[in-house]
């Protein structure tokens, strides 16, 4: 079927443009821009609203296998579609970890059956994410793994990590690290400082992130591996990242939506929905990271979607599970940066769609002819108050419950097929 999107505001991160136009889609791909609608095409009047490439969300926790009560492929896929996310990059921190080709093939098949959006998987770098023995990276790549990560388990044995990086380098595999000095960060619930002290919370200094990043970059220099830091959240880490890029190392970095829109004071009176890994930082750190994202020093903005059930959050702050759901809140929260004048829409979509797709070798992130017709139609200005119980995720642990957000997804298409329509939307 051919679909023609007329009267749209086209957001293209590849060309850096934000301009009125039209888009024609056929056989699951974009075939033309600013052309007349073909005979027999379904015409969708976008009403001047924004049409952009679907979001490629790198670092989503899904509870299958082992924690399906927290999130299933079905619920995550529905939440993603409602949030304008057309491709999920799932993390391997499941029970058990995704560390064998058989497990990877199982979850790949389950995802294809259950979810209305595309789901690709990272695999564990070491068996059981224990940091002792590397996985069969080559076989896992053959089974479809797009990258290798132990998620928030930091490998302390540098010899094991250097061997894994060397092997990954020989295969061209991408390794995703979690920059953190594990000794300093063990047991931490907040960022060290006056606020953590006043609240009596065990803290971790921001330098623990820099120390972890310095170690990983040194190993990248030694092995020549392709490396991505999953979250850079502090100003102290940015010069090290800048030097690594200037030296020509194959290094990129990401940051979660919560670390660019919230700060340590949002924890308030021990609000566990704001407990994250790494913990929320100071406002100075938040501003520095936003500037790094806008300049391109930090490449990727992601949801770091981490579902947790009520029982694991309704605990004292130190004992509560870290993490927050974000698939549906990702886009409206990111638009806070746009409305604040910190980033324009093509820049935001470069970090949320184009850069992750390119780094992972996936198609998408562009409105160019021939690209997959993975699209999101949204109104960046519609205000609403978030009710967490209306989220499609099984878990409702969002820090934005009751928050005033601005920006509404009206429709989502995957391969030219509509997978979400907002109630009341005429487009």
């Amino acid at each position: 079927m051919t679909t023609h999107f007329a009267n749209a505001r086209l957001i293209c991160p590849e060309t850096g443009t934000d301009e009125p136009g039209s888009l024609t889609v056929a056989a699951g791909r974009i075939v033309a821009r600013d052309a007349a609608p073909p005979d027999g095409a379904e015409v969708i009047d976008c009403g001047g609203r924004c049409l952009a490439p679907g979001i490629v969300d790198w670092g989503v926790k899904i509870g299958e296998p082992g924690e399906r009560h927290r999130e299933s492929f079905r619920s995550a896929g529905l939440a993603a579609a409602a949030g304008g996310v057309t491709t999920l990059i799932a993390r391997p921190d499941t029970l058990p970890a995704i560390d064998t080709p058989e497990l990877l093939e199982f979850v790949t098949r389950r995802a294809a059956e259950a979810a209305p959006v595309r789901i690709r998987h990272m695999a564990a770098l070491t068996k059981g994410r224990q940091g002792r023995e590397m996985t069969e990276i080559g076989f896992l790549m053959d089974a479809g793994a797009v990258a290798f990560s132990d998620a928030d388990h930091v490998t302390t044995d540098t010899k094991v990590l250097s061997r894994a990086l060397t092997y990954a380098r020989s295969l061209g595999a991408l390794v995703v690290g979690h920059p953190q000095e594990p000794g300093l960060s063990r047991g931490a619930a907040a960022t060290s400082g006056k606020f953590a002290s006043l609240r009596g919370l065990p803290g971790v200094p921001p330098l623990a992130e820099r120390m972890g990043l310095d170690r990983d970059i040194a190993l990248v220099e030694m092995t020549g591996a392709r490396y991505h830091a999953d979250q850079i959240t502090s100003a102290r880490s940015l010069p090290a990242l800048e030097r690594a890029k200037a030296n020509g190392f194959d290094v990129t970095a990401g940051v979660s939506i919560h670390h660019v829109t919230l700060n340590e004071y949002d924890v308030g009176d021990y609000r566990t929905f704001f407990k994250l890994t790494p913990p929320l930082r100071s406002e100075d750190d938040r501003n520095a990271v936003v500037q790094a994202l806008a300049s391109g020093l930090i490449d990727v903005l992601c949801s770091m979607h981490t579902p947790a059930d009520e029982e694991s959050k309704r605990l004292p702050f130190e004992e509560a599970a870290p993490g927050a759901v974000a698939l549906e809140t990702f886009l409206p929260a990111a638009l806070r940066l746009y409305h604040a004048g910190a980033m324009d829409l093509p820049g935001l979509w470069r970090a949320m769609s184009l850069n992750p797709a390119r780094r992972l070798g996936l198609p998408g992130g562009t409105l160019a002819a021939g690209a997959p017709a993975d699209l999101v139609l949204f109104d960046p200005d519609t205000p609403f108050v978030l009710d967490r119980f209306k989220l499609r995720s099984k878990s409702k642990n969002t820090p934005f419950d009751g928050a005033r957000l601005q920006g509404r997804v009206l429709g989502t298409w995957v391969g030219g097929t509509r997978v979400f329509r907002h109630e009341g939307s005429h487009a």
Side-chain angles (χ1 to χ4, degrees), residues 190-206 264-265 279-282 285:
T191 297
S192 298
K194 185 177 180 181
F195 179 78
S197 297
L198 288 172
R199 289 289 184 270
L201 294 173
V204 55
E264 59 186 347
Y265 294 119
L280 290 171
R281 305 300 194 185
S282 70
D285 278 329

Side-chain angles (χ1 to χ4, degrees), residues 97-107 123-124 127 135-136 139-140 143:
I98 309 300
D99 60 0
T100 66
E102 294 79 14
L103 259 175
L104 179 55
E105 287 166 2
F106 167 74
V107 293
K127 292 182 179 179
T135 54
E136 294 283 0
F139 291 150
L140 285 161

Side-chain angles (χ1 to χ4, degrees), residues 75-164:
S75 61
L78 292 172
V85 176
T86 54
T87 301
L88 298 181
I89 311 300
R91 306 199 313 248
D93 50 341
T94 48
L95 295 174
I98 309 300
D99 60 0
T100 66
E102 294 79 14
L103 259 175
L104 179 55
E105 287 166 2
F106 167 74
V107 293
T108 300
R109 189 169 61 250
R110 280 284 305 134
E113 292 168 353
V117 301
R118 305 181 197 273
I119 298 184
R120 300 296 300 271
H121 293 269
M122 293 190 286
L125 183 65
T126 64
K127 292 182 179 179
R129 300 193 301 128
Q130 295 299 309
R132 298 192 189 101
E133 184 182 355
M134 72 173 124
T135 54
E136 294 283 0
I137 294 174
F139 291 150
L140 285 161
M141 287 181 76
D142 291 343
V146 294
F148 295 84
S149 174
D150 283 342
D152 58 359
H153 281 198
V154 178
T155 299
T156 55
D157 189 326
T158 48
K159 182 164 280 189
V160 170
L161 184 55
S162 67
R163 285 174 176 164

Side-chain angles (χ1 to χ4, degrees), residues 217 221 240-250:
I217 289 171
E221 182 177 6
L241 178 62
E242 193 167 19
R243 282 194 304 273
K245 290 190 170 191
N247 287 333
F249 302 153
D250 195 348

Side-chain angles (χ1 to χ4, degrees), residues 212-294:
L213 183 63
D214 282 339
R215 182 200 72 159
D216 286 2
I217 289 171
L219 289 171
V220 168
E221 182 177 6
M222 184 173 81
T223 61
R226 300 172 63 223
Y227 176 84
H228 177 80
D230 65 353
Q231 292 195 75
I232 297 297
T233 62
S234 72
R236 291 289 189 91
S237 300
L238 298 174
L241 178 62
E242 193 167 19
R243 282 194 304 273
K245 290 190 170 191
N247 287 333
F249 302 153
D250 195 348
V251 170
T252 52
V255 64
S256 90
I257 185 61
H258 300 115
H259 288 92
V260 295
T261 54
L262 304 169
N263 67 30
E264 59 186 347
Y265 294 119
D266 286 305
V267 169
D269 294 324
Y270 310 102
R271 296 158 74 191
T272 58
F273 283 3
F274 291 81
K275 183 181 181 183
L276 305 170
T277 302
L280 290 171
R281 305 300 194 185
S282 70
E283 180 64 6
D284 287 344
D285 278 329
R286 188 192 74 82
N287 282 325
V289 169
V290 168
Q291 290 171 20
L293 187 66

Side-chain angles (χ1 to χ4, degrees), residues 5 8-25 29-34 49-54 346 349 353-354 358 363-378:
F5 296 88
R9 179 180 165 189
L10 299 178
I11 312 297
C12 185
E14 188 173 41
T15 57
T17 52
D18 174 353
E19 58 193 14
S22 66
L23 201 68
T24 306
V25 168
R29 297 199 168 270
I30 297 168
V31 294
R33 277 181 65 168
D34 301 326
R49 295 182 177 91
C50 297
L51 186 67
W349 254 258
S353 184
L354 180 64
R358 283 185 169 172
T366 175
L367 297 182
D374 296 353
L375 303 167
V376 56
L377 179 68
F378 67 99

